[in-house]
Amino acid sequence: MAGGKATPRQKMINLMYLIFIAMLALNMSKEVLAAFGIMNEKLETSNEQTTASNNAFLESLGTKASEDAAKYDKLYQNAQKIKAMSQEYYDYLEGLKTGMKEGLEDATDYARMDNSDYLDQTLFQGDNLSEEGKKFMSNLTGYRDQVAAIVPPALKQSVIDRFQTGDENGKVEKRDGTKQDWINYHYEGYPLVASLAKLTALQADVKITEEAALKSMLAGELTSQVSLSNFATSLKASKSAFYSGEKYDGKIIISKTDKSSTPVRAELTLDGRKLVDGKDYKLEAGGVKMLIGAGRPGDHQIVGNIYFKQDGEEVEVPVENSFATISKPNAALIAADKMNVVYRGVANPMSISIPGIADSKVNASATGLKRRQGSSYTMIPGKGREVTITASGTTSEGTKVGPFNTKFRIKDIPRPEGTVSKQAGSIKLPRRNVEIATISAQLDDFDFDLNLAVSGFKFKVPGQPTISVKGNKLDSRAKSALKRAKRGDVVQIFDVNAYITNNKSYKLKKVSPVVIEITN
């Protein structure tokens, strides 16, 4: 009944409708939040692509500047300034975004990013801006004004418009006709994901500004081709050396050029002999393919000019290259790195190679021989007084070379010298110096740096019994005997037990003694 009192059933129905409408509104809100998140992801992807494109533009502009400084150097310097300012402002915005996402369990669950607290608390302080809010506005306007001052005049207004912050008073007119500060209008009270998307959009404006500036500086799309006027040539071949009678398969490469650039002609000589197009060489993309033979053993020179078309004119590129031809080997080159013999008890470094054959195609064998890397080997000799090393190899064409045999003498490690405080032989020392000295052993003028250690020795003071000491310093008994020595007495350190720290199984020759005259 109209105007009548609602029944309990009607009240229940009305309440259900209210709940239903609220649920629809809630679901719509989550869908909108998710849409902001998707938009943010797409903007970030676009920013990454624009960054790569801008880097390529800047690199091309740098290439132009290196070729024609008078025309492009100033533009390149301005481009670098814009790049640096853009990166600094972009990184600042990225720092804000990182702070906004801290503490989120899932940075992609956009439907839950409806809280506005972060930017509200970061940028605003009551009715005023916080220090961070002032910094936000200062960074925005500073970037806008600095870039606008550098870009070409045609772009200046677009930069100002792109980073506009309201009217002359920094205000924005709302739907109801009232005005509000630009920063409050755009960043206060908005859901987190919406503010995140807005900051990413601001980053996109930075990248677009940078891109427009770079393109404008080159007056349009950058060309992918570069000047050839200051480029040199280099030789590329399947190997660095060739045997007499082989075909030389090298190619003259124009360094740093577009590989699609094909010479229009060439004027070349080999050791003074003029080369014939189609017979001795042929023109192809990126340079000249050589068809000559390797020739007799020795050095050979290719000189002349290669000509390219650029802007309707021929550009001359000088050629001056050389290659070497060597005879086929009849022996392997085998040499100890430090001496003409090998020593027992140590890893003797050796180099084993065959001229003109890659190290990976050389095989060497002998008792105690082991390859380390490439042509580097180590030889640890066994018993006997001589060892034979056999080397053979295979050329790039599959030809077997060798085997070649080379004999090496095997020597024992020389007799070490005993030392007291690093002094050997017959020495003079104060009593206190002997008491605290370290007993060592050394190999005088030996090519290997072996680490010798002492495990014991015998100590003799005139008139006192010989004392056997363990370790490398005087023990209490030896010190007691030393106290009985008089000035001018000669004490002896002998039967020194020394060993190689990393090869204890090798027995060194008997260590020479040390004779010490006590000076006090």
Side-chain angles (χ1 to χ4, degrees):
M1 181 183 296
K5 203 172 182 181
T7 64
R9 176 180 174 81
Q10 186 63 48
K11 288 181 179 180
M12 179 64 70
I13 293 173
N14 291 342
L15 180 60
M16 289 177 64
Y17 270 112
L18 288 174
I19 295 173
F20 179 69
I21 293 171
M23 291 178 64
L24 286 177
L26 182 62
N27 289 333
M28 180 60 72
S29 175
K30 290 184 177 181
E31 290 174 0
V32 172
L33 293 175
F36 271 113
I38 294 171
M39 181 179 70
N40 182 66
E41 289 180 357
K42 290 184 177 181
L43 283 173
E44 288 184 335
T45 300
S46 176
N47 288 345
E48 292 175 1
Q49 295 171 347
T50 307
T51 297
S53 175
N54 290 349
N55 289 340
F57 273 113
L58 187 63
E59 184 178 350
S60 297
L61 187 57
T63 300
K64 285 293 186 182
S66 67
E67 294 174 354
D68 192 347
K71 187 175 181 181
Y72 291 102
D73 190 56
K74 182 63 176 177
L75 292 176
Y76 183 49
Q77 291 181 22
N78 286 341
Q80 288 179 307
K81 291 178 182 178
I82 292 175
K83 175 68 175 177
M85 289 187 294
S86 297
Q87 190 62 52
E88 182 179 2
Y89 185 41
Y90 189 96
D91 290 344
Y92 165 74
L93 295 173
E94 190 64 29
L96 276 180
K97 291 167 58 179
T98 300
M100 293 168 68
K101 291 184 285 187
E102 284 182 357
L104 295 178
E105 294 183 3
D106 183 357
T108 61
D109 189 1
Y110 304 119
R112 293 180 178 272
M113 298 184 189
D114 56 354
N115 195 305
S116 65
D117 288 349
Y118 184 84
L119 286 189
D120 288 351
Q121 296 172 7
T122 300
L123 302 182
F124 306 101
Q125 188 173 13
D127 294 334
N128 301 313
L129 291 182
S130 66
E131 288 301 318
E132 187 61 37
K134 294 175 183 178
K135 181 180 178 181
F136 181 89
M137 292 301 298
S138 175
N139 285 344
L140 190 157
T141 57
Y143 173 74
R144 176 193 66 198
D145 297 341
Q146 291 178 50
V147 172
I150 297 177
V151 297
L155 290 181
K156 183 174 182 178
Q157 191 56 48
S158 66
V159 173
I160 295 174
D161 293 342
R162 190 173 293 126
F163 296 96
Q164 187 59 258
T165 56
D167 58 19
E168 63 276 6
N169 297 316
K171 301 288 185 178
V172 177
E173 186 173 341
K174 300 169 64 176
R175 293 181 63 182
D176 59 5
T178 61
K179 289 190 174 184
Q180 185 179 21
D181 287 341
W182 180 88
I183 188 171
N184 297 78
Y185 182 83
H186 283 281
Y187 293 100
E188 186 178 21
Y190 280 91
L192 178 66
V193 68
S195 296
L196 196 65
K198 283 190 174 186
L199 291 180
T200 304
L202 200 52
Q203 287 179 314
D205 287 337
V206 172
K207 291 300 177 182
I208 292 171
T209 300
E210 182 183 327
E211 180 182 47
L214 291 172
K215 285 184 177 181
S216 178
M217 286 175 179
L218 281 179
E221 184 178 353
L222 288 170
T223 178
S224 60
Q225 297 181 353
V226 295
S227 172
L228 298 167
S229 57
N230 296 320
F231 281 60
T233 60
S234 60
L235 279 173
K236 181 181 179 181
S238 60
K239 55 184 178 179
S240 59
F242 293 81
Y243 295 132
S244 178
E246 284 187 304
K247 281 286 185 180
Y248 179 70
D249 65 353
K251 178 179 179 180
I252 297 179
I253 301 296
I254 309 301
S255 302
K256 297 195 295 184
T257 190
D258 184 351
K259 298 300 181 183
S260 65
S261 298
T262 302
V264 293
R265 63 187 181 93
E267 295 176 353
L268 303 171
T269 62
L270 170 62
D271 299 333
R273 177 179 69 86
K274 186 175 181 179
L275 300 181
V276 180
D277 185 7
K279 177 183 177 183
D280 299 315
Y281 66 87
K282 67 176 181 178
L283 307 177
E284 65 178 36
V288 176
K289 172 71 175 180
M290 304 306 297
L291 306 173
I292 57 176
R296 65 183 184 280
D299 294 329
H300 302 279
Q301 254 197 338
I302 299 175
V303 296
N305 295 292
I306 300 175
Y307 298 88
F308 293 84
K309 275 285 187 181
Q310 182 176 318
D311 298 329
E313 297 181 359
E314 283 189 353
V315 177
E316 180 183 282
V317 179
V319 177
E320 187 173 351
N321 298 95
S322 62
F323 66 93
T325 302
I326 61 175
S327 301
K328 289 185 178 180
N330 54 16
L333 298 178
I334 304 175
D337 286 347
K338 291 191 174 183
M339 60 199 74
N340 59 354
V341 296
V342 290
Y343 283 88
R344 202 186 330 269
V346 298
N348 298 260
M350 309 191 75
S351 294
I352 302 177
S353 62
I354 300 177
I357 296 180
D359 293 333
S360 61
K361 298 295 184 180
V362 174
N363 295 313
S365 61
T367 302
L369 184 68
K370 183 178 180 180
R371 186 196 293 266
R372 290 187 299 174
Q373 184 179 8
S375 62
S376 298
Y377 293 74
T378 55
M379 161 64 75
I380 303 179
K383 297 180 180 179
R385 289 295 172 186
E386 194 174 73
V387 62
T388 299
I389 298 177
T390 301
S392 60
T394 306
T395 67
S396 57
E397 295 79 19
T399 304
K400 299 291 184 180
V401 179
F404 308 108
N405 297 322
T406 302
K407 292 183 179 180
F408 281 80
R409 292 177 296 145
I410 301 175
K411 285 188 175 183
D412 292 324
I413 296 174
R415 180 183 182 182
E417 292 181 321
T419 65
V420 175
S421 296
K422 298 185 178 180
Q423 300 182 62
S426 180
I427 61 177
K428 295 181 179 182
L429 288 174
R431 188 192 315 271
R432 176 59 179 167
N433 288 32
V434 178
E435 184 178 351
I436 64 174
T438 298
I439 313 304
S440 307
Q442 67 180 20
L443 292 166
D444 187 34
D445 196 26
F446 189 56
D447 290 323
F448 290 88
D449 186 16
L450 295 183
N451 189 11
L452 302 184
V454 169
S455 60
F457 58 92
K458 290 182 179 178
F459 182 70
K460 174 66 177 175
V461 175
Q464 302 296 321
T466 300
I467 299 171
S468 295
V469 179
K470 292 183 179 181
N472 60 3
K473 289 182 177 292
L474 299 185
D475 60 14
S476 58
R477 294 177 303 136
K479 290 179 181 179
S480 178
L482 179 62
K483 289 179 180 179
R484 296 185 179 91
K486 301 176 182 179
R487 179 178 181 180
D489 279 353
V490 175
V491 301
Q492 299 180 48
I493 294 175
F494 60 99
D495 285 354
V496 177
N497 295 319
Y499 61 93
I500 305 172
T501 56
N502 61 350
N503 190 5
K504 294 182 179 180
S505 63
Y506 181 82
K507 187 175 182 180
L508 290 167
K509 292 182 178 180
K510 186 175 182 179
V511 180
S512 60
V514 186
V515 178
I516 309 167
E517 180 182 337
I518 304 300
T519 59
N520 63 353

